[in-house]
C-alpha cells in the first residue's frame, strides 16, 4: 500500500481528546515525517470522558487512570507537538493558518497548516433558563468540570442532589452519586422534560429503567421541564413547569449537547440542518484542506439514511482513523453510524442500536416490532435473569432496523450481535440462523438473538398475529382477553377484564371460549400465549398474541 502524505507537510489538529488524539496517533503510525501540531483549549489531552462519572462516584479511584496520555507522553511516543491551554480562535482558509490564543499568557499567534483537522467536540446545552448560571449548578463535559464537581461535593454535606436531564450522562451520574453517598442519606431527584428517560429508547423499554430508579430511591419527575432556578436558604431550588419546587444543594444540568461549530461557521464552512459540520464520506468539509470529525459533525444514520449528530466515542475514534488514512492517501470512507449505545443504571443495563420506532414512524418508514423476555442464560443454571428485548424490522424486506434491550445481564452482547447484523444488512431469518456461543452459564441453546428472529419469522409467516400492548385498550372493546398463565401468576396480578384458562388446560376447555369474538391471548412473556394461539387458531378461533405479554403491559401501565 502506498502511504504518503504527498505535498502535505504539516497537519494542525483542533481538539486533543477522542477524535483529535486518534487522528494524531494514527497519522504518526502511518507517516514518520509529517509535522503534527495538536491544539487543546483545556489543560488535558486524550482523557477518558466516558470515565468521568465513575471517578466522581468513586468507582474509578485513581484520577490518573482517566488520563490515557499526557502532552509529554504523546510527544515522546508519537512525536506530536501538543499545545494545551491553547484555543484556536479563527481559521484563515485563504492563507491557510489558524489564530491561536495561549490561555495562560493571553498571547495570540498564528500557526500555518497544509491540512486542518477539526475535532472540537460538543458543548453542553445551557438554555436561557432564569438562574442557570447560579453557583452550584454544574455540567459535566471534561476533566475541569469533573474536578469542580468533586471539589464542590467534597466541601459540603450534600443532602439534596438534583440531576436535570435523564439522558445517558444524567443517569450514569445518578447511579454514581448514589454510590458516592452510599453511607449518608442524600436525597436524589431527577427531572426530565420528556415523558420518559433515555430518549433513544422507546417508551415500553425504559419503563424498567424508571422502575429501577424508583427502587433505588430516586425522586423521578417526568414530563416536567425545569423553568427556573433560585437561591433558597443555604442552597438552591429548581422550579418546574407544573409548579413543583425541588430544593437542592447541588445541581447537575446535563440535558444534551450541541456540536461545537463556531470555528467552522466563522470560516464559512457548511453546516447541516441538524447543526453539525457537513462532511463527505471521507470526512472532508466543503474545503478540501479541512477535515472534521467526532461530535461536531453530521453523519448518515445507517438505517434511516438521515443526516444527524451522533455524539458517541466509538464513531469519533473510528473517524479519527479514517481522517488519518485519507491524509495519507488511503481510500478509507466512513459509512455512517448506528447510534449503538449502552449504560448501566444500578442493577440494570440498557442498550440500543439502529433506529427506534419513534424515528421510523416520524419518517413514515413501515416497521414491525416484537418483544420478548428471555433468560440471560439457561434458566436452570444459577444466576439467570430475565431481559427484555424489542426487535424492530422491515416487514417488507425483513431487514433489521433496530433493537433495544434492558436487563441485569447479557444485554450488551445481544445488542452488539444485532448491531453487527444491522450493519451487514442481515434479516430476521439470519438472526434465527446465527450460530452463537452456548453453554449453560452463558446462554441458551436458542440464544435470545435467535429467539427474536424466530418470533419475528412466526409473525411474518402468519403463524400468529400479534397485538402491541400500547394498542390493547383500543382492541379490548371488541375482543375477549385470555390469560393463559398459571394460577399463581394470575394471583400476582392480571390485565383487568381477562378470562383465565391456563395453557395446560386449554385443549380441554375450548368450549368455554366464545367463537364470535376475536381473542387477545397473553401470558407472562409471550411464549406460552404463542402456543395457546397455535392451539386456538387450529381450532377455528381468531386470535392475536399480546407481544411482550403481561410484563410489557405492566411496564406500560
Ligand atoms: P471531545 O472528545 O470532547 O474533544 C474535543 C476537545 O476539543 C475538547 O477537549 C475541547 O476542549 C477541545 N476544543 C474545543 N474547541 C477548541 C478550540 N477552539 N481550540 C482548541 N481546542 C478546542 N460516549 C460513548 O460512546 N460512551 C460513553 O459511555 C460516553 N460517556 C460519556 C460521558 C461523559 C461524561 C461525556 C462528557 C461524554 C461521554 N461520551 C460517551 C461521549 C464521548 O466522550 C464523545 O462522543 C467523544 O469524546 C467525542 O469526541 P470529540 O473528539 O468529537 O470531542
Amino acid at each position: 500500500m502506498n502511504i504518503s502524505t504527498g505535498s502535505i507537510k504539516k497537519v494542525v489538529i483542533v481538539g486533543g481528546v477522542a477524535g483529535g488524539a486518534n487522528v494524531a496517533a494514527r497519522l504518526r503510525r502511518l507517516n514518520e515525517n509529517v509535522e503534527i501540531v495538536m491544539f487543546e483549549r483545556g489543560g488535558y489531552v486524550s482523557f477518558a470522558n466516558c470515565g468521568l462519572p465513575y471517578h466522581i462516584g468513586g468507582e474509578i479511584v485513581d484520577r490518573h487512570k482517566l488520563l490515557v496520555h499526557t502532552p509529554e507522553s504523546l510527544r515522546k511516543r508519537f512525536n506530536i507537538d501538543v499545545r494545551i491551554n491553547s484555543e484556536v480562535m479563527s481559521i484563515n482558509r485563504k492563507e491557510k493558518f489558524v489564530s491561536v490564543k495561549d490561555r495562560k499568557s493571553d498571547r495570540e499567534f498564528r500557526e500555518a497548516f497544509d491540512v486542518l483537522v477539526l475535532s472540537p467536540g460538543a458543548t453542553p446545552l445551557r438554555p436561557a433558563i432564569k438562574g442557570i448560571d447560579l453557583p452550584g449548578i454544574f455540567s459535566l463535559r471534561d476533566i475541569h468540570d469533573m474536578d469542580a464537581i468533586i471539589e464542590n461535593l467534597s466541601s459540603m454535606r450534600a443532602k439534596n442532589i438534583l440531576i436535570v436531564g435523564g439522558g445517558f450522562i444524567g443517569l450514569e451520574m445518578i447511579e454514581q452519586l448514589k454510590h458516592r453517598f452510599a453511607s449518608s442519606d442524600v436525597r436524589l431527584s431527577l427531572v426530565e422534560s420528556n415523558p420518559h428517560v433515555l430518549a433513544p429508547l422507546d417508551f415500553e423499554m425504559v419503563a424498567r429503567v424508571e422502575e429501577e430508579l424508583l427502587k433505588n430511591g430516586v425522586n423521578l419527575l417526568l414530563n416536567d421541564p425545569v423553568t427556573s432556578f433560585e437561591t433558597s436558604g443555604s442552597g438552591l431550588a429548581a422550579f418546574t413547569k407544573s409548579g413543583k419546587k425541588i430544593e437542592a444543594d447541588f445541581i447537575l444540568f446535563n440535558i444534551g449537547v450541541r456540536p461545537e461549530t463556531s470555528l467552522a461557521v466563522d470560516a464559512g464552512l457548511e453546516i447541516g440542518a441538524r447543526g453539525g459540520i457537513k462532511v463527505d464520506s471521507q470526512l472532508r468539509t466543503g474545503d478540501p484542506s479541512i477535515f472534521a470529525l467526532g461530535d461536531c459533525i453530521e453523519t448518515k444514520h445507517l438505517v434511516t439514511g438521515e443526516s444527524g449528530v451522533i455524539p458517541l466515542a466509538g464513531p469519533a475514534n473510528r473517524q479519527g482513523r479514517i481522517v488519518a488514512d485519507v491524509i495519507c492517501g488511503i481510500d478509507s470512507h466512513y459509512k455512517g453510524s448506528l447510534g449503538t449505545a449502552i449504560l448501566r443504571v444500578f442493577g440494570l443495563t440498557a442498550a440500543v442500536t439502529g433506529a427506534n420506532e419513534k424515528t421510523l414512524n416520524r419518517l413514515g418508514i413501515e416497521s414491525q416490532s416484537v418483544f420478548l423476555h428471555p433468560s440471560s442464560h439457561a434458566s436452570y443454571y444459577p444466576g439467570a435473569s430475565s431481559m427484555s428485548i424489542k426487535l424492530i424490522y422491515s416487514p417488507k424486506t425483513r431487514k433489521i432496523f433496530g433493537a433495544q434491550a434492558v436487563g441485569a445481564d447479557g444485554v450488551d452482547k445481544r445488542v452488539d450481535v444485532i448491531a453487527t447484523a444491522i450493519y451487514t444488512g442481515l434479516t430476521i431469518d439470519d438472526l434465527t440462523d446465527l450460530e452463537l456461543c452456548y453453554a449453560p452459564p452463558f446462554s441458551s441453546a436458542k440464544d435470545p438473538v435467535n429467539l427474536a428472529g424466530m418470533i419475528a419469522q412466526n409473525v411474518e409467516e402468519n403463524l400468529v398475529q400479534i397485538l402491541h400492548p400500547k394498542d390493547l385498550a383500543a382492541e379490548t372493546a371488541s375482543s375477549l382477553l385470555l390469560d393463559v398463565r398459571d394460577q399463581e401468576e394470575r394471583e400476582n396480578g392480571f390485565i383487568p377484564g381477562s378470562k383465565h384458562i391456563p395453557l395446560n388446560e386449554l385443549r380441554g376447555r375450548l368450549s368455554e371460549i366464545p367463537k364470535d369474538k376475536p381473542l387477545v391471548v397473553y401470558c407472562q412473556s409471550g411464549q406460552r400465549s404463542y402456543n395457546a394461539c397455535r392451539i386456538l387458531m387450529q381450532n377455528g378461533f381468531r386470535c392475536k398474541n399480546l407481544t411482550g405479554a403481561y410484563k410489557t403491559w405492566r411496564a406500560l401501565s
Side-chain angles (χ1 to χ4, degrees):
M1 191 186 293
N2 181 23
I3 300 175
S4 160
T5 57
S7 60
I8 300 165
K9 302 278 177 259
K10 182 172 174 185
V11 175
V12 168
I13 300 170
V14 182
V17 190
N22 264 281
V23 175
R26 169 115 175 135
L27 197 49
R28 177 57 74 229
R29 280 191 283 265
L30 293 175
N31 190 298
E32 264 300 287
N33 301 317
V34 68
E35 184 183 350
I36 306 170
V37 182
M38 189 163 83
F39 290 111
E40 168 53 52
R41 180 174 56 190
Y44 302 90
V45 283
S46 197
F47 61 84
N49 328 42
C50 312
L52 303 179
Y54 302 95
H55 182 56
I56 294 173
E59 266 195 85
I60 299 174
V61 178
D62 183 355
R63 180 177 177 280
H64 273 95
K65 295 253 182 255
L66 298 172
L67 306 172
V68 183
H69 269 289
T70 62
E72 292 69 36
S73 70
L74 282 174
R75 212 164 280 151
K76 274 193 188 147
R77 183 162 307 167
F78 297 107
N79 186 24
I80 297 164
D81 181 357
V82 181
R83 321 256 190 96
I84 54 169
N85 302 310
S86 302
E87 181 167 5
V88 174
M89 306 300 287
S90 62
I91 306 166
N92 187 320
R93 286 169 54 190
K94 207 161 149 226
E95 294 177 45
K96 288 190 147 188
F97 67 81
V98 287
S99 299
V100 187
K101 183 175 180 179
D102 181 327
R103 297 178 78 177
K104 287 267 148 107
S105 66
D106 262 359
R107 185 177 69 92
E108 287 214 21
F109 59 93
R110 290 175 175 189
E111 192 76 42
F113 63 82
D114 296 320
V115 159
L116 179 67
V117 177
L118 300 177
S119 191
T123 313
L125 292 170
R126 300 280 286 189
I129 294 175
K130 187 179 153 233
I132 193 161
D133 292 323
L134 284 169
I137 305 177
F138 295 82
S139 294
L140 179 60
R141 180 73 204 168
D142 57 24
I143 294 263
H144 302 280
D145 296 336
M146 179 192 77
D147 288 343
I149 288 170
I150 291 175
E151 194 189 325
N152 187 274
L153 291 174
S154 311
S155 67
M156 62 164 163
R157 272 201 72 236
K159 279 203 146 57
N160 294 298
I161 289 182
L162 168 64
I163 308 285
V164 183
F168 283 76
I169 296 176
L171 294 194
E172 284 178 352
M173 281 298 291
I174 276 274
E175 184 208 71
Q176 285 304 303
L177 288 167
K178 173 114 185 175
H179 189 262
R180 183 181 175 98
F181 294 107
S183 54
S184 54
D185 57 348
V186 171
R187 183 174 160 79
L188 290 164
S189 300
L190 176 70
V191 177
E192 166 58 54
S193 60
N194 287 320
H196 66 76
V197 297
L198 290 180
L201 277 79
D202 292 317
F203 179 52
E204 313 91 332
M205 299 305 291
V206 286
R208 252 182 103 177
V209 175
E210 289 167 0
E211 252 177 47
E212 184 73 5
L213 290 166
L214 296 172
K215 213 172 87 188
N216 280 278
V218 176
N219 171 33
L220 187 58
L221 288 94
L222 298 171
N223 216 1
D224 200 6
V226 168
T227 50
S228 66
F229 297 101
E230 279 177 18
T231 48
S232 168
S234 58
L236 294 158
F239 295 86
T240 66
K241 194 173 172 195
S242 73
K244 294 200 181 71
K245 177 181 179 185
I246 306 137
E247 304 260 5
D249 2 76
F250 172 89
I251 297 178
L252 184 80
F253 192 91
N254 264 73
I255 62 163
V257 292
R258 65 169 176 76
E260 174 57 70
T261 54
S262 49
L263 281 174
V265 169
D266 292 348
L269 298 173
E270 198 182 347
I271 304 297
R274 296 300 181 92
I277 302 172
K278 267 202 159 180
V279 289
D280 64 15
S281 70
Q282 293 201 309
L283 304 164
R284 267 198 196 88
T285 64
D287 183 327
S289 302
I290 305 180
F291 291 80
L293 72 155
D295 290 0
C296 70
I297 63 164
E298 288 192 6
T299 44
K300 191 177 86 173
H301 193 283
L302 280 172
V303 171
T304 64
E306 259 199 316
S307 187
V309 176
I310 302 182
L312 289 169
N317 276 265
R318 297 197 316 280
Q319 290 161 7
R321 181 181 172 90
I322 288 168
V323 169
D325 282 2
V326 175
I327 293 172
C328 291
I330 301 171
D331 190 29
S332 296
H333 292 260
Y334 189 71
K335 294 188 185 127
S337 298
L338 280 173
T340 308
I342 189 161
L343 101 152
R344 187 189 66 198
V345 193
F346 303 110
L348 277 188
T349 304
V352 57
T353 186
N356 62 28
E357 213 181 321
K358 276 180 296 217
T359 307
L360 294 165
N361 288 343
R362 175 173 58 77
L363 296 172
I365 300 173
E366 190 193 352
S367 69
Q368 178 59 283
S369 51
V370 291
F371 296 88
L372 57 158
H373 303 284
S375 269
S376 55
H377 59 249
S379 49
Y380 57 81
Y381 184 86
S385 59
S386 153
M387 69 172 81
S388 305
I389 298 179
K390 177 176 184 176
L391 179 75
I392 310 164
Y393 62 92
S394 162
K396 272 195 205 131
T397 65
R398 297 162 87 104
K399 282 197 177 177
I400 302 147
F401 283 153
Q404 301 162 32
V406 179
D409 186 31
V411 160
D412 51 347
K413 78 166 169 171
R414 273 61 189 225
V415 172
D416 277 345
V417 169
I418 299 177
T420 312
I422 300 173
Y423 184 80
T424 50
L426 299 189
T427 63
I428 51 170
D429 310 291
D430 295 310
L431 290 192
T432 298
D433 281 350
L434 286 179
E435 189 173 314
L436 302 168
C437 295
Y438 164 60
F442 303 101
S443 183
S444 301
K446 285 179 197 157
D447 186 87
V449 171
N450 299 133
L451 287 175
M454 289 171 192
I455 293 171
Q457 278 182 319
N458 290 342
V459 173
E460 293 313 311
E461 276 144 31
N462 279 324
L463 284 173
V464 70
Q465 272 194 298
I466 53 170
L467 180 76
H468 290 269
K470 65 177 162 49
D471 302 326
L472 181 63
E475 191 92 2
T476 40
S478 54
S479 305
L480 177 73
L481 198 52
L482 184 65
D483 178 354
V484 295
R485 297 173 304 158
D486 293 340
Q487 184 60 33
E488 296 146 27
E489 293 168 295
R490 176 107 182 150
E491 279 162 16
N492 284 327
F494 57 87
I495 304 179
S498 55
K499 182 177 174 64
H500 182 222
I501 304 180
L503 174 63
N504 291 349
E505 298 170 23
L506 187 61
R507 285 189 184 85
R509 293 176 60 184
L510 289 175
S511 59
E512 295 174 32
I513 307 170
K515 270 197 166 152
D516 58 335
K517 267 188 168 186
L519 305 169
V520 175
V521 187
Y522 76 92
C523 64
Q524 199 71 6
S525 69
Q527 197 186 8
R528 280 170 292 167
S529 49
Y530 169 59
N531 283 305
C533 280
R534 293 300 304 150
I535 296 170
L536 290 162
M537 286 166 75
Q538 291 176 69
N539 280 281
F541 292 89
R542 288 170 296 148
C543 62
K544 288 183 182 169
N545 187 10
L546 186 69
T547 184
Y550 182 72
K551 280 189 180 172
T552 306
W553 175 84
R554 204 194 49 186
L556 273 176
S557 49

